[in-house]
Amino acid sequence: MPANGDGSVSPRNIVILKVRVANPTASTRELSRILADEYGIELSHNRISEILREMAEDGLYRETVIPDQSIFNHYLFRVAFHYPNFAEQWEDCYWALRDDPHVLMFFNADSEYHWQFITQFRDNDRMQRWIHEFFKEFGEFISGFHNTVLHQVHKFQTDAAVFDEMLRETEEGRQYLAESED
């Protein structure tokens, strides 16, 4: 099982995830070699595949393909609610956004619990039509809507080094880091 009984992830599995993030196109055979050479973790490629699958099923990571900005324009939308209509309309709007193919990321990011989402459209005209249709369907639910064009997305990825912080939290993780530095 990838997660420990308390919901935490073992240092070994953090290392496996770190190596996968650092080598997104590597085969599990290659990952097995990297884990053995750099961290002293000896696992078959089949076991690594099982662990990665289990971690994905447990929601510890997702494999996502994100097209470059040369294909799509990206936009940040922020929605404030008309609270008298919240109870009866939030769920339909929520699922419409979750299921919309233009929505790349959907989240809350402020203390007023406004919804924010990053979208992708081929051009501004298509984005404007989408907003028009969104307001036709959910306008009574919305008290404010702001959009920002993300002209240059300079970075949208997770670096494998972010997992080092998690590994430093345990003795086993520190041992794996020390092994990789040798």
Side-chain angles (χ1 to χ4, degrees):
M1 193 76 184
N4 295 331
D6 62 0
S8 65
V9 182
S10 74
R12 183 201 66 186
N13 288 355
I14 293 169
V15 172
I16 292 169
L17 189 55
K18 175 184 175 178
V19 170
R20 166 48 82 205
V21 168
N23 304 279
T25 61
S27 69
T28 54
R29 287 185 194 280
E30 291 171 287
L31 295 179
S32 178
R33 184 192 51 74
I34 294 167
L35 288 164
D37 293 349
E38 295 183 21
Y39 296 94
I41 297 173
E42 301 281 341
L43 295 170
S44 72
H45 68 94
N46 289 329
R47 182 65 184 128
I48 292 168
S49 181
E50 287 174 10
I51 291 169
L52 288 169
R53 182 182 40 76
E54 290 169 358
M55 284 194 288
E57 288 172 357
D58 287 348
L60 297 174
Y61 80 96
R62 298 178 195 147
E63 293 189 43
T64 304
V65 174
I66 301 173
D68 187 69
Q69 65 189 23
S70 64
I71 298 174
F72 292 107
N73 295 323
H74 294 89
Y75 306 86
L76 172 64
F77 294 160
R78 293 173 301 281
V79 174
F81 313 118
H82 180 65
Y83 288 104
N85 295 336
F86 187 84
E88 60 188 59
Q89 294 182 339
W90 79 268
E91 194 167 10
D92 289 341
C93 186
Y94 175 88
W95 288 110
L97 291 171
R98 281 284 313 265
D99 295 339
D100 191 290
H102 298 99
V103 175
L104 178 66
M105 181 184 292
F106 179 26
F107 54 94
N108 296 90
D110 60 31
S111 61
E112 296 185 24
Y113 206 70
H114 295 162
W115 290 347
Q116 299 188 35
F117 41 106
I118 297 173
T119 61
Q120 51 192 6
F121 295 92
R122 291 284 295 144
D123 55 45
N124 286 337
D125 289 338
R126 292 176 188 181
M127 181 269 301
Q128 292 291 344
R129 284 193 303 271
W130 185 93
I131 290 174
H132 179 78
E133 293 300 318
F134 183 72
F135 270 88
K136 281 174 39 180
E137 187 168 352
F138 300 108
E140 292 179 0
F141 174 61
I142 299 168
S143 72
F145 185 91
H146 302 279
N147 65 1
T148 303
V149 177
L150 305 177
H151 294 285
Q152 295 289 323
V153 178
H154 299 285
K155 181 178 180 179
F156 192 76
Q157 69 184 46
T158 298
D159 287 331
V162 75
F163 296 104
D164 291 350
E165 293 175 20
M166 293 175 72
L167 290 170
R168 287 187 194 100
E169 294 173 4
T170 65
E171 180 59 37
E172 184 182 356
R174 289 188 290 275
Q175 290 174 357
Y176 287 133
L177 287 173
E179 179 79 24
S180 73
E181 293 169 359
D182 290 342

